[in-house]
Amino acid sequence: MSSTRFASEHKWLYVGAIVLLVALAVVGVIRYERVVSDNEAAEKANRLADAAEDAGYPRPNTATIERALGNDGGFVCDDPAGALKSALWKINMSNGAAFVGQRPVIADSQVVRAEAKVLEIYCPDELERIQDRLDDLDLDDTVRR
């Protein structure tokens, strides 16, 4: 039996091998991109946890940070300078009452710096957009540690 006859009779074997190799290459590329993304998310979560510790807070769970913020900041970096996010952020810096009893308060400077640190790590360009608003806030050390 000649080699050309063998090749023509078993063409499906060659086609199957080529398809298998291409599929493995595609799976390898997809898994590689995911590992790179996971490594970036873990690195940013560790930076944020280190910053929290440096500020005197207990070290947060980095796995929770990774799930919540991913490698791009997720919801935190989704237009933080927008009107809705700005309004919600200011509501959260109130006295905690509801409806007519709710009043603005002098927020704790550590809390504002923590939010700024999240933006600095995950989306520094967004931090630049709202830095002037942060500078205009009336802050003080209001939380006892």
Side-chain angles (χ1 to χ4, degrees):
M1 186 183 319
S2 71
S3 64
T4 55
R5 183 173 167 209
F6 179 81
S8 65
E9 288 179 359
H10 299 291
K11 185 188 246 181
W12 61 269
L13 185 62
Y14 294 115
V15 170
I18 290 171
V19 168
L20 182 63
L21 286 174
V22 169
L24 287 173
V26 168
V27 168
V29 167
I30 291 170
R31 289 196 45 103
Y32 174 77
E33 288 176 359
R34 181 174 176 155
V35 166
V36 169
S37 175
D38 289 349
N39 288 343
E40 184 181 357
E43 185 268 330
K44 286 182 177 181
N46 280 321
R47 282 179 48 202
L48 186 57
D50 292 342
E53 270 188 322
D54 292 344
Y57 295 106
R59 184 174 183 83
N61 184 335
T62 55
T64 303
I65 297 172
E66 284 181 58
R67 282 193 308 275
L69 300 177
N71 63 350
D72 64 352
F75 62 90
V76 174
C77 292
D78 187 24
D79 193 25
L84 178 61
K85 288 258 179 116
S86 180
L88 290 172
W89 189 60
K90 288 179 181 176
I91 286 173
N92 287 329
M93 290 194 310
S94 66
N95 64 355
F99 197 51
V100 296
Q102 189 171 20
R103 302 286 185 267
V105 297
I106 296 176
D108 187 60
S109 56
Q110 286 287 94
V111 173
V112 175
R113 280 198 296 270
E115 177 72 20
K117 187 54 97 171
V118 172
L119 293 174
E120 177 186 321
I121 291 171
Y122 285 94
C123 45
D125 54 324
E126 296 292 339
L127 177 60
E128 292 174 10
R129 288 180 53 203
I130 66 166
Q131 189 63 52
D132 59 331
R133 292 183 192 172
L134 295 177
D135 295 338
D136 290 342
L137 292 174
D138 191 13
L139 305 173
D140 202 356
D141 293 328
T142 58
V143 177
R144 293 183 189 159
R145 291 173 191 40

